[in-house]
Amino acid sequence: LDMVVMQLDGSDVTLEELAFYVAYEEATVQESAVVYNPDNPKEYWNLHTNGTFVKLAAKQAVLDMAIHDFIFYEKAMEQGITLTEEEMTYVENEYHDFCADFETWQWSALGIDETQIAETMECIALANKCQGLLAQEEGVAYTEYNFDGTAYENLAQQYEVKVDEGLWERVPFGKITLAN
């Protein structure tokens, strides 16, 4: 987990730092997989839709979400943005909901603990708050700064991202926290 999967403006990002995103995206895709074929959800992961395999699109979504959140978290830290007590309570509730769905074997497979999940979720909340403040300041919709939004694409061009494609390719996506 300490292997560097990418660099963002020269700062290393390890597999451990992406673990929450992997767990989140696997859970999201698995919800659709179970609806698609409750008897064999693994089948869904290998579908080819919208020009790519579901599994590969999910892996790309993990990177896209993480890069987005790291950029906005960094901006939040630079601007001294903090979470209110109410916002922290919301994060704690989201954290408990997320963790409640995890089995012991899934924690073991993921390789991180609940404290690391809580810390990541707090960073994401700060990133989202920064995103909202920037959108408000720029007079654009919040969604314009989502990882697939036009305003974000312009912002992201200011950052250099290098992904270790060989390492990322070896991550068995769709099988880390799932027992399909």
Side-chain angles (χ1 to χ4, degrees):
L1 289 176
D2 61 350
M3 296 177 77
V4 176
V5 72
M6 72 176 166
Q7 290 187 324
L8 178 62
D9 274 357
S11 295
D12 292 344
V13 178
T14 64
L15 288 170
E16 181 177 48
E17 292 171 295
L18 294 181
F20 169 81
Y21 296 94
V22 169
Y24 175 84
E25 189 64 16
E26 282 190 340
T28 301
V29 173
Q30 187 68 0
E31 287 177 15
S32 297
V34 169
V35 169
Y36 179 79
N37 185 347
D39 297 326
N40 186 12
K42 180 171 50 175
E43 181 182 30
Y44 181 80
W45 284 89
N46 295 314
L47 285 180
H48 191 269
T49 62
N50 299 324
T52 190
F53 287 102
V54 169
K55 185 185 304 186
L56 297 178
K59 279 181 93 165
Q60 187 59 50
V62 166
L63 290 179
D64 291 343
M65 287 186 295
I67 292 165
H68 169 276
D69 292 346
F70 291 153
I71 288 172
F72 277 106
Y73 176 74
E74 180 182 296
K75 292 179 86 47
M77 292 297 90
E78 290 170 1
Q79 296 173 15
I81 296 172
T82 59
L83 297 175
T84 65
E85 189 175 316
E86 183 179 324
E87 291 165 333
M88 277 303 297
T89 299
Y90 180 81
V91 170
E92 289 169 10
N93 289 337
E94 289 288 307
Y95 157 77
H96 289 298
D97 288 347
F98 182 83
C99 291
D101 293 336
F102 259 67
E103 302 289 333
T104 303
W105 70 267
Q106 290 174 299
W107 286 111
S108 178
L110 191 56
I112 62 173
D113 62 26
E114 292 181 41
T115 302
Q116 291 163 298
I117 293 287
E119 290 169 358
T120 300
M121 291 180 86
E122 184 176 342
C123 291
I124 291 169
L126 283 163
N128 289 337
K129 185 172 184 175
C130 182
Q131 175 181 343
L133 292 170
L134 182 58
Q136 186 177 26
E137 180 182 306
E138 296 292 323
V140 299
Y142 179 87
T143 56
E144 284 296 310
Y145 279 106
N146 284 351
F147 74 83
D148 58 352
T150 305
Y152 171 70
E153 288 176 13
N154 294 332
L155 174 68
Q157 289 177 7
Q158 300 171 27
Y159 295 84
E160 182 181 7
V161 178
K162 293 180 184 175
V163 176
D164 182 338
E165 298 291 345
L167 173 59
W168 189 236
E169 187 175 308
R170 292 192 319 262
V171 174
F173 209 80
K175 299 178 183 177
I176 298 171
T177 63
L178 302 173
N180 282 329

